[in-house]
Amino acid sequence: MAPRPTASRSHVAGQVVRSGRVTKGKSEKAPANKVPSDQIKVVSTDQVLEQVHGEPPAWAENRQQLCDAIPWFHCTQGAMYHSEGFCWGFLIDADGGTRTYIDEEIIITRIGGCCTKDSEGNLALQKNQEADSTLARSIIASLKSKLPVGLIIGSKHKILNRDLPHRYNVMAWFRVTNVWFERIGTNHGAKVRFEKLDLAEKSWWAAKGSAPPMPLELRDFDTKPQTLKCEGCSKVSIRVYEDGWMCLQPECDRFWKIGNVSSPPELTFNPAFLSFRSRPDDEILPNCSLVPDHLSTLDEDATDISTSRGAWKGIVCPECHKCIRRTLWRGWKCSDDSTGTQTGGNVCSFERLMTMNPISRQVLLDDSEQPSMRREMVFDRKFMIPEIDDVSLSPYRKLTYKLDGVGFITHFVANAEINSRPNGPDDLFIGLQREDLGLKRFPLSSSLVAGTLTAHFAVNHGSPYKYVVSVLSKAFGEAPEVILRALGRLSWATEQAVISAGDMYMPPNELLTLGYFEGMKIGYHDDGESSLGPTIATLSLGAKSTMWIRMKYKHFNGHTRRVDAGDGKAVSGSVLQEDPVLKGCRLEDERRALKERFEAGEISQDEYDNSRQTLFATQKGKQAPPAIKLELHHGDLVVMHGENLQRYYEHSVVPENKLRFALTARYVKPDHVDAAEIEKGNFTLTPDQIYDGK
Ligand SMILES: O=C(O)CCC(=O)C(=O)O
Ligand SMILES: [Fe+2]
């Protein structure tokens, strides 16, 4: 038997393989003494990294950059990007599992999925991975359809032991040559062998100073590793390990056995399995380029192109090759989408700002949205039906949605007469596009995947306010005319709504402008910070959108969400300390009855809590369906009023077309603002900036 390299004694291209996960065949080329010392970087006492020969064609500091710019890797989690039943892209990073392998042309790894972390932080298969699982099916489909797969290597990759230049590095196109199953722990999981498609070109991740690849004409494409038919299941399996041939069909009772004996835990790859190469095949063609040249496909002269879906994808910086997202309203700036950690102190100066021809309101109108004097209104009975008032604020139609004990939402429905007035919504819409407002996309403060940017642009004027993200605030004193005019309208709407409810009017001192391109939206959130007054007014400009309002999960269900304890088991959520038992919540009658008994002193706190736990155990918690649906059109105003509205309910807005602005004004309590920033919220409107409701 060939010597079996193990953790303690194997040397792979000049460095000790520390993980003990890889066992390489004897076909290894570069022996340790061939690596010049200037090409070795000592990272820590036990890690010596070789320099790589070249540079990746594209790279990223985080997954979001990668997913935004690389069309074959739209995936923020997991190793494999699959869609439409195929695997398109694959990331090899921290943990490829046991028996992984990498060299300049071949990669062997597990396909991901079905995993959990063991006590040492390594990924362990939690259950069997079957051939009909989504991941296995996708990778097998790519193999059978000869679909090339793009590979990316992350700097946490433990086996290559080269000094990878960036956190995520695009490698090359590969073909899938084999997919098979192995026993991994007590379960079985799928493995894959990738082979680089272009064998003529030297891989950038090859060691610096290493020999060029063997020319194609000198290569042997005929010798293949041994394949044998299993006497048990009659299916053919390839010989992956030198230690012996094994049946690799998990359903066979001879699976993962050499002869009659279970395979040893340490195995050596069959050199023939590592060294065979597939003949170049013209049929294997990627269906897009490895690194997209997105900028050259944008025709800026076409109207509205700068706000189309295609225009807010990420690009690969033509200068430094970093994947950059469109963080700026006007375009891409390499240094703006940077954590600064991967640039080695060099800031790339690339930027591409678009012309941004203003789009007129008419371009966004669809057939069902002809300008009319008063829009016809059809209400869907699935949602709350409002009170309709066509008189008191004419020419606006006033729709009021009342949530008992919670608050109300007033929708001021505009029409063509209102919109076309000088300095009205039509003019404001064009005005906002002409101004350089400094709209930007910011990282979401609470997101499952760190670094995720909002799917809308934002800029704040007036008192500082942190909504779902932190946005720098500009003083009203520096605000352009359009912002002050919008503030005039929003102050009017706030006053009308609040006074008609008999509440005190607090003039807004903050205005957040959101800009939405095609396909952008704002997900469910509330505007209920302790620093804010109870009233929030929004002016919609441009594309039509739908606003959804639903009860928050915990108020709908009466308990917080169940959380994953990390071992695959769910920890049940805790019951609410104070359950408002809102109208329409789940198990409303039962919850109200328990609450009444508790408040009447008939049951103790413990009994109340335990009875609710028992009640909730009968049904799985779920998200509340939307209670209110508002169709927001150009020029419409919406006022949400009531602290409890933000406490118990959340809202989201989904626009439908290429360009929409939402200008939302709030009252930020001065005791929550730094003294130095108070004056940012001061403003005086000129008489013609004050709105009179016409
Ligand atoms: O886009 C909209 O209409 C709503 C914006 C919003 O919810 C917010 O700014 O908090
Ligand atoms: Fe909001």
Side-chain angles (χ1 to χ4, degrees), residues 465 467 512 514 516 522-523 525-527 536 538-540 545 547 632 640 651-653 655 660-664 666:
Y465 157 60
Y467 72 127
L512 178 75
L514 299 188
Y516 300 86
I522 188 163
H525 68 283
D526 66 64
D527 295 8
I536 292 144
T538 304
L539 168 65
S540 287
S545 64
M547 180 171 193
L632 304 182
M640 293 189 268
H651 55 279
S652 81
V653 179
R660 174 174 182 266
F661 293 99
L663 298 106
T664 302
R666 304 167 178 85

